[in-house]
């Protein structure tokens, strides 16, 4: 007979692997075959297939006509419930900034040791814009949004460079997260939420980072006001 502890361990491993399937597909940003998913997970094809079928049954994965798999629409419904109040308050401001500046505008939040994109808006009429997928993440020690988040932590937790960010009220970066991309971000401190940042990401601009930051600061204030400070 299998002990309760062994059953729990097996169930936890299965859950962990299922989550990893979702992370693999999110990172790939394209549909993958069962074999590709199994390879990236480091498991046998039969194990990957069982995980995929379970996720597919719950609408978290969908199968393309060619037989490859991609993230399912059910994930969007689940994601909509994450910090719903912040997403709802930020969306009008993100849309206004994105269309005014011709840049993708987004809110990033702190998740343990990482900076995670919560919601983003691409400009409506830009010739070329940068996609910033909700759920994308990177260490918050790199990139403008991460440093804008770090500036909201207690001073004794600040790494090098954060005092300057805190003093001027914004952070900027170039090529730190993705090669050739620039970003400007401002802190978005909110009651009842982990530290967040409001940011734009772009390929090039005639506007100085300080000018972009002023527009973002106005948007951040509007978001805070909508949420009651």
């Amino acid at each position: 007979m299998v002990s309760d502890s062994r059953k729990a361990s097996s169930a936890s491993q299965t859950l962990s692997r299922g989550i990893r399937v979702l992370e693999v597909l999110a990172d790939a940003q394209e549909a993958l075959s069962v074999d590709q998913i199994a390879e990236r997970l480091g498991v046998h094809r039969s194990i990957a297939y069982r995980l995929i079928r379970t996720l597919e049954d719950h609408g978290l994965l969908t199968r393309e006509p060619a037989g490859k798999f991609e993230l399912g629409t059910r994930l969007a419904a689940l994601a909509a419930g994450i910090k719903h109040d912040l997403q709802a308050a930020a969306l009008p401001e993100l849309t206004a900034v994105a269309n005014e500046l011709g840049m993708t505008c987004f809110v990033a939040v702190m998740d343990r040791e990482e900076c995670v994109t919560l919601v983003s808006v691409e400009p409506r009429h830009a010739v070329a814009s940068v996609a910033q997928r909700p759920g994308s993440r990177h260490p918050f020690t790199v990139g403008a949004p991460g440093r804008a988040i770090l500036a909201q932590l207690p001073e004794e937790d600040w790494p090098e460079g954060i005092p300057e960010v805190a003093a001027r009220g914004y952070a900027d970066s170039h090529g730190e997260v993705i090669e050739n991309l620039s970003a400007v971000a401002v802190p978005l401190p909110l009651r009842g939420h982990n530290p967040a940042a409001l940011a734009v990401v772009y390929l090039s601009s005639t506007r100085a980072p300080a000018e972009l930051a002023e527009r973002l600061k106005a948007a951040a204030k509007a978001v805070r006001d909508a949420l009651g400070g």
Side-chain angles (χ1 to χ4, degrees), residues 34-157:
V34 175
D35 289 335
Q36 288 173 315
I37 293 171
E39 180 183 357
R40 298 184 190 198
L41 254 62
V43 301
H44 191 273
R45 186 183 192 280
S46 62
I47 295 175
Y49 185 72
R50 287 198 298 272
L51 295 169
I52 289 167
R53 284 301 306 273
T54 301
L55 293 168
E56 186 182 17
D57 288 344
H58 287 276
L60 301 177
L61 295 185
T62 57
R63 188 193 307 252
E64 288 190 334
K68 292 186 176 183
F69 293 87
E70 62 184 359
L71 296 178
T73 54
R74 175 64 181 154
L75 277 173
L78 294 176
I82 300 173
K83 299 186 182 296
H84 174 74
D85 56 342
L86 175 53
Q87 291 195 57
L91 195 56
E93 293 303 319
L94 298 183
T95 302
V97 172
N99 290 329
E100 179 182 328
L101 300 180
M103 301 173 180
T104 297
C105 190
F106 63 100
V107 169
V109 296
M110 179 182 177
D111 180 22
R112 291 176 291 183
E113 300 298 314
E114 294 183 306
C115 177
V116 182
T117 298
L118 178 67
V119 58
S120 68
V121 174
E122 295 179 32
R124 187 179 298 116
H125 301 301
V127 176
S129 61
V130 178
Q132 181 74 17
R133 290 167 58 94
S136 61
R137 59 180 62 228
H138 58 80
F140 60 58
T141 52
V142 298
R147 285 200 286 276
I149 287 173
L150 283 171
Q152 298 169 64
L153 300 182
E155 290 187 26
E156 57 268 24
D157 296 331

